[in-house]
Amino acid sequence: MMSDNNLTERPCMKFIKGATSAKVYGVDDGDLLGLSQSRNNFFQVDVLNPTDTNLVFVAGVAEHKSTQMFEMRFQWHQIVLVLDGVMTIQDMDTGDIYRASSNDLFYWPPGANMKMGGEFRAYFVRTPSMWRWLKTPEGKKSRLSLLRIDNEILYPASPPLEVRQELIDEGKKLPRYKYKLIKYVKNALNATTVEVDNLTEMPQDRWKQVDLINPSDTGTAIVCGIAEHPTKTINPVVSYFWYHQTALIIDGEMIIEDLETGGVYKGQKGDMFYWPPGHRHHIGGKFKAFYVKTP
C-alpha cells in the first residue's frame, strides 16, 4: 500500500511483515542501473524506502528471471543474500567466478565491476540510496537516479599541466592492481556464532553473534552478520540505536516493544525490522536474525 511521505517527521522504526515474499515489479528503465541487456528479466521492490532512512539505507527484494549475463559497475556499498535459485557473478577485474545459491552472501563496494546473471531471488541492503522510484503515466515503475540528474550543477575538475603520451604508454604495459573487491560467504546463514561477553549492554541474556562482513571489509561503511537470542523473555534493558540497522528474521520469533510509540511487534521468519539512530526499544524472544547496519 502506498502512502504520502511527511518529510518533516524524523525517521522511525519500520516493520515489514513477509518482507522476503514481497511482490516485485519489472524494471522499465534498466539503462539507469546498467540493465539494458537484461531489463525485461529484472524485477525489484524496495521494502525499506529512501525516505524511511533519510536516503541512508535501502533494503528490498530483487529477482532475475534469465541466465543472461549483464554488466554492472557499483558506486555504492551493497549486501546481497541469495534467497532462491542460482546467482552467477564474474569479477571483471580478477576473472573470479562465483555461483551462489540459497543462504550465500555477497558484499560489493563502490568500484566493483562485474557481470551478473542466473535465475535467482535475493534480499539486498545498500547504502547510500541511489534511486527514487516514480510512477509513469503508463503505470510502470520508473526511477530517478541521484547519480544522473539532468542539468545538475557540478563543479569541474582542474586540468593537468600537460598530458604526456609516454606516461599513457607506460601505464598500458603495467598490470592492473588485482585486489578483490567482492567478498563471498558460502552458506552464510549457518555461520557459527559466538557468545557476546559485553554484559554492560546485555546483562540479562547470553547473546550469540558473528560479523560476516566486517568493518575492515567495507572501510567501516557497512557491517552484517548473524545474531541469536537464546530465550523467549523480554530484556528490560533499553536498546538505544545510534546507527541505522535492519534485521531479517531467519528463525524463531523476535519481540520488539517500541518505547517511542508503545507498539508491540512479533517478527517471524521472512519478516524485517528497521531501526534508525535515536530509536529506543525492548527486545526479546528466541530468534536468529540476519542484521545489516551502518556505519
Side-chain angles (χ1 to χ4, degrees):
M1 182 174 66
M2 305 298 292
S3 61
D4 293 333
N5 295 306
N6 186 345
L7 298 182
T8 63
E9 296 181 357
R10 65 182 180 84
C12 57
M13 187 186 105
K14 187 174 184 179
F15 174 60
I16 301 98
K17 194 73 176 174
T20 56
S21 301
K23 181 180 178 180
V24 293
Y25 300 87
V27 176
D28 69 329
D29 55 354
D31 293 339
L32 292 181
L33 183 58
L35 295 175
S36 56
Q37 298 163 299
S38 193
R39 60 194 299 173
N40 296 325
N41 301 310
F42 200 84
F43 299 78
Q44 188 262 8
V45 65
D46 289 346
V47 295
L48 182 64
N49 307 103
T51 50
D52 294 326
T53 70
N54 284 345
L55 307 184
V56 174
F57 232 19
V58 176
V61 177
E63 283 189 14
H64 189 246
K65 300 184 178 182
S66 169
T67 57
Q68 182 181 15
M69 302 289 285
F70 56 92
E71 294 187 18
M72 291 192 68
R73 181 178 290 277
F74 282 79
Q75 296 174 278
W76 57 90
H77 298 269
Q78 182 158 318
I79 302 290
V80 172
L81 177 67
V82 180
L83 300 173
D84 193 24
V86 176
M87 174 188 285
T88 301
I89 298 294
Q90 181 180 357
D91 187 332
M92 300 299 289
D93 294 320
T94 65
D96 293 341
I97 296 176
Y98 306 89
R99 289 185 176 88
S101 53
S102 179
N103 293 347
D104 293 353
L105 177 72
F106 282 106
Y107 162 70
W108 304 310
N113 184 26
M114 68 180 69
K115 286 186 176 180
M116 179 187 299
E119 297 182 9
F120 61 82
R121 184 177 175 93
Y123 167 76
F124 66 85
V125 182
R126 76 168 67 98
T127 184
S129 169
M130 292 292 99
W131 307 283
R132 302 290 293 274
W133 289 95
L134 306 172
K135 290 182 179 180
T136 66
E138 295 79 15
K140 296 180 180 179
K141 293 277 184 174
S142 185
R143 282 192 287 195
L144 167 67
S145 173
L146 300 182
L147 290 174
R148 303 177 186 177
I149 300 175
D150 291 340
N151 301 317
E152 182 180 7
I153 299 174
L154 298 175
Y155 197 85
S158 300
L161 293 175
E162 58 180 312
V163 176
R164 295 181 181 177
Q165 183 61 43
E166 64 268 24
L167 295 178
I168 297 175
D169 295 338
E170 180 182 350
K172 290 180 178 179
K173 296 177 183 178
L174 296 175
R176 291 193 176 274
Y177 182 49
K178 300 296 184 182
Y179 176 73
K180 291 187 177 182
L181 296 179
I182 298 173
K183 185 172 183 179
Y184 172 60
V185 182
K186 185 72 174 176
N187 201 21
L189 297 191
N190 292 317
T192 301
T193 55
V194 294
E195 192 170 274
V196 176
D197 62 358
N198 186 350
L199 299 183
T200 60
E201 293 186 9
M202 302 167 186
Q204 303 292 323
D205 304 314
R206 286 292 183 179
W207 283 72
K208 290 185 176 181
Q209 184 260 356
V210 64
D211 285 347
L212 299 170
I213 304 300
N214 310 98
S216 57
D217 295 323
T218 71
T220 68
I222 194 168
V223 176
C224 76
I226 305 297
E228 295 185 84
H229 191 254
T231 69
K232 294 183 178 180
T233 58
I234 302 293
N235 193 329
V237 175
V238 179
S239 294
Y240 289 90
F241 277 75
W242 306 113
Y243 41 84
H244 298 265
Q245 179 165 326
T246 62
L248 180 68
I249 313 304
I250 55 180
D251 193 26
E253 181 179 71
M254 176 189 286
I255 303 171
I256 296 294
E257 296 178 346
D258 190 338
L259 297 175
E260 307 293 339
T261 66
V264 177
Y265 303 85
K266 293 184 178 181
Q268 286 89 28
K269 182 177 180 180
D271 298 346
M272 192 194 85
F273 285 97
Y274 161 72
W275 304 293
H279 194 266
R280 301 167 300 166
H281 62 246
H282 296 151
I283 187 170
K286 188 174 182 179
F287 63 83
K288 186 176 182 180
F290 172 71
Y291 62 84
V292 183
K293 59 185 175 182
T294 186

